[in-house]
Amino acid sequence: NEDGTVTIIRSETKDQPDENKKNPSKFYDIPYLQTKVLDAFGLNEEVWIEEKIDGTNISCDIDHDGNFKCYGKRFELGEWYTNRGAYQKLLEIEDKVREHISTRYKLYFEYLTLHHVRYSADKENGIYLIGIKDKSTGKWLTPDKVYAWAYQLDLDRPATLYHGPFKGWDKAKSLVGKSEFGAKQGEGIIIKAVDKNRGIKMVKIVADDFREIMKHDPARAQEKMNNELAKRAKAAEIVTDARIRKQLYNMIDEGIISKVEGI
């Protein structure tokens, strides 16, 4: 509760996953911002930055036998395992999925049950479209196409905090903590862009208050990233545009290249 007290509600209904019914296609494993993804986005590359909302990952699709299949993060959902009502939420959109999506795509949602972040009452227990995967190609649809499907199917989605050219990590970090869902402090952001191999590429940045829930050591990751950024800053002092231009003109004088334009 808001005042820090705990209310326990016990159900008489068993809600246990079937270990033999696993999710065959989980959601994109989004990496945290760390050294190995510093070059994920190029300067001025088109990006979408969305609020990272804190809930439970669920998904649904129509299989090739015409069955409406629903999944939690790891296991299939059904009357035996509803994942705190997520199954019923997906059943409510079954007709839309059958009519418009058919067997081509798998839809992924965040089911906003209470976790680390408290959102406004009108947002809690809703499902929000976070991604769509083309089952025939294995690629993810770009955010603009996901937004179009959300509009056509009348589905809610996370807030887009920024859409435009990538202006660097500091600019992206300035959006961390913002929330369009009524949270006192947002959990973080997810940066998305087009990727020719997977359809999209994504990186997430989490607010300091939520770092203790990360799977990797945030302090060590931050130290490594700071060291890498320091190296880049030093290199930028030495390898300047003016020095590069001078060497290119020297190469023209020596007959190595014919022109500088376009290089």
Side-chain angles (χ1 to χ4, degrees):
N1 301 321
E2 283 286 349
D3 61 1
T5 61
V6 176
T7 301
I8 298 177
I9 302 174
R10 301 190 184 279
S11 172
E12 298 298 325
T13 304
K14 291 185 178 180
D15 197 26
Q16 296 294 329
D18 186 337
E19 298 284 342
N20 296 316
K21 296 182 177 181
K22 295 186 178 181
N23 186 348
S25 181
K26 299 177 184 178
F27 188 57
Y28 193 116
D29 186 15
I30 308 174
Y32 289 101
L33 175 58
Q34 50 191 303
T35 305
K36 66 181 180 181
V37 296
L38 277 174
D39 297 314
F41 310 105
L43 197 62
N44 293 322
E45 181 177 3
E46 182 183 20
V47 296
W48 292 259
I49 302 181
E50 298 176 356
E51 177 179 353
K52 182 182 184 301
I53 53 177
D54 178 39
T56 299
N57 186 237
I58 59 175
S59 57
C60 66
D61 70 342
I62 306 293
D63 70 14
H64 290 293
D65 295 323
N67 301 307
F68 183 63
K69 309 290 281 189
C70 303
Y71 301 93
K73 184 174 182 179
R74 297 178 57 203
F75 300 103
E76 184 178 344
L77 302 179
E79 295 298 336
W80 64 93
Y81 176 49
T82 69
N83 196 3
R84 290 179 289 180
Y87 177 59
Q88 285 76 14
K89 292 285 184 179
L90 292 174
L91 287 179
E92 292 175 6
I93 66 169
E94 178 180 355
D95 290 343
K96 294 179 182 179
V97 176
R98 286 189 178 278
E99 180 180 358
H100 299 286
I101 299 299
S102 187
T103 60
R104 182 176 180 182
Y105 298 123
K106 185 169 183 175
L107 308 184
Y108 293 82
F109 301 85
E110 200 75 7
Y111 174 38
L112 218 54
T113 53
L114 184 59
H115 277 75
H116 303 282
V117 183
R118 189 67 180 264
Y119 299 100
S120 59
D122 63 316
K123 297 296 185 183
E124 290 181 358
N125 298 316
I127 62 173
Y128 300 89
L129 186 66
I130 58 173
I132 301 177
K133 190 173 188 178
D134 188 325
K135 295 192 292 184
S136 63
T137 65
K139 292 186 177 182
W140 301 85
L141 300 193
T142 52
D144 55 329
K145 293 179 181 177
V146 174
Y147 298 167
W149 274 114
Y151 179 80
Q152 181 171 344
L153 299 174
D154 193 25
L155 297 172
D156 293 321
R157 60 177 180 82
T160 302
L161 303 177
Y162 173 81
H163 173 221
F166 183 65
K167 296 299 185 182
W169 294 111
D170 287 341
K171 176 66 175 177
K173 287 180 179 180
S174 71
L175 298 173
V176 174
K178 297 183 182 297
S179 176
E180 298 291 332
F181 275 36
K184 291 181 179 179
Q185 180 184 14
E187 185 191 10
I189 59 172
I190 298 177
I191 309 169
K192 302 179 178 181
V194 176
D195 180 79
K196 64 180 181 180
N197 294 318
R198 301 186 68 179
I200 59 170
K201 52 187 175 182
M202 297 191 276
V203 173
K204 58 187 174 184
I205 307 177
V206 177
D208 290 343
D209 289 354
F210 303 100
R211 283 188 165 189
E212 71 275 6
I213 65 175
M214 289 185 178
K215 293 181 180 178
H216 73 285
D217 182 347
R220 185 178 180 185
Q222 187 65 47
E223 182 182 6
K224 289 177 66 177
M225 192 164 62
N226 289 343
N227 290 337
E228 175 64 22
L229 290 172
K231 291 177 184 177
R232 294 183 180 203
K234 190 64 177 176
E237 294 176 4
I238 300 168
V239 188
T240 64
D241 287 348
R243 284 176 173 166
I244 293 171
R245 192 179 303 111
K246 180 180 179 180
Q247 294 305 318
L248 289 172
Y249 280 115
N250 286 340
M251 292 171 73
I252 289 180
D253 293 342
E254 295 175 13
I256 299 173
I257 59 175
S258 60
K259 63 178 182 178
V260 172
E261 292 73 18
I263 293 181

